[in-house]
Amino acid sequence: MEPFISIYSGHLFAGVDEVGRGPLAGDVVAAAVILDPDKPIEGLDDSKKLTEKKRETLFPLIQERALSWCVSRASVQEIDDINILHASLLAMKRAVEGLEQQPEHVLVDGNKIPKWTYPAEAVVKGDSRVQAIAAASILAKVVRDREMVAFDQQYPEYGFAGHKGYPTKVHMAALEKYGVTPIHRISFGPVKKQIEQMALR
């Protein structure tokens, strides 16, 4: 993990991150974590850099050792209503507000900060630089991935367990063959295009 020095170091701070901005289906999920400096967790890193097995191992450790954590979301309907950027910020806002222990400051992954009253700092590539953000990214990704695996049982033709809703060749072929499900984001270009094509048939 890259060294990172925050102007808020020393304060009780939360790290917050979201997962699922790019997929064509499913909610966008966010998590907020306040780590306990007395209970370090080895191996925290950007969830995308970790194997699924490693994420699943770290998931309960984060929940057990963190001072406070919360996982929240914005729904597919909200994504379609307010766009994915605003839905991602909304999910992060809900995650921080859901913490049992409220932070003095918040470090947000990326370059945008939700509209809230918390003193906050945006950290580009924060999930690789701040352990609390890395922990949040792991919680959010594990929760979202598990949900997509569950959707695979409900919609077995689409392969959600494999691609997690991202626009892979398998997913695009399934969309073309079987159409759009209730968990697809109809405001996203490839899904919108498929709806238009189905209407012409």
Side-chain angles (χ1 to χ4, degrees):
M1 181 164 286
E2 299 174 23
F4 174 78
I5 299 173
S6 168
I7 58 173
Y8 302 134
S9 59
H11 292 277
L12 182 70
F13 71 87
V16 61
D17 197 6
E18 51 72 29
V19 171
R21 282 178 64 163
L24 305 179
D27 296 348
V28 59
V29 177
V33 178
I34 302 175
L35 291 175
D36 185 343
D38 295 327
K39 296 179 181 177
I41 303 169
E42 293 294 324
L44 292 177
D45 204 345
D46 174 3
S47 62
K48 296 184 291 297
K49 296 179 180 178
L50 301 173
T51 63
E52 181 180 357
K53 183 178 179 181
K54 184 64 174 175
R55 291 193 298 266
E56 289 285 352
T57 300
L58 288 167
F59 186 80
L61 288 179
I62 295 166
Q63 294 176 317
E64 290 164 14
R65 297 183 189 177
L67 288 173
S68 188
W69 62 272
C70 178
V71 177
S72 194
R73 70 189 57 247
S75 68
V76 170
Q77 184 65 57
E78 287 172 320
I79 292 168
D80 288 334
D81 287 346
I82 63 176
N83 80 39
I84 185 60
L85 171 61
H86 289 101
S88 298
L89 295 172
L90 177 61
M92 290 194 284
K93 182 173 186 282
R94 287 169 173 166
V96 175
E97 290 176 344
L99 290 167
E100 286 187 10
Q101 188 167 354
Q102 287 293 284
E104 297 171 18
H105 301 281
V106 184
L107 301 179
V108 183
D109 183 60
N111 58 8
K112 289 187 169 50
I113 296 173
K115 291 181 180 178
W116 55 25
T117 57
Y118 302 98
E121 180 180 357
V123 185
V124 175
K125 296 184 179 177
D127 44 12
S128 296
R129 304 172 67 200
V130 180
Q131 286 200 327
I133 296 178
S137 78
I138 292 165
L139 292 189
K141 182 156 179 61
V142 170
V143 166
R144 191 180 189 283
D145 282 0
R146 288 176 178 177
E147 289 176 0
M148 297 311 293
V149 170
F151 279 130
D152 192 71
Q153 302 293 313
Q154 194 171 348
Y155 306 104
E157 303 90 354
Y158 292 83
F160 287 125
H163 54 66
K164 308 298 190 295
Y166 284 89
T168 63
K169 286 183 179 180
V170 169
H171 191 181
M172 297 307 296
L175 256 182
E176 190 169 340
K177 185 174 183 180
Y178 301 108
V180 176
T181 73
I183 68 165
H184 277 100
R185 303 171 179 179
I186 60 173
S187 59
F188 277 43
V191 182
K192 189 185 296 185
K193 182 180 177 183
Q194 187 56 40
I195 293 171
E196 290 169 354
Q197 288 178 345
M198 294 291 283
L200 294 173
R201 289 179 185 177

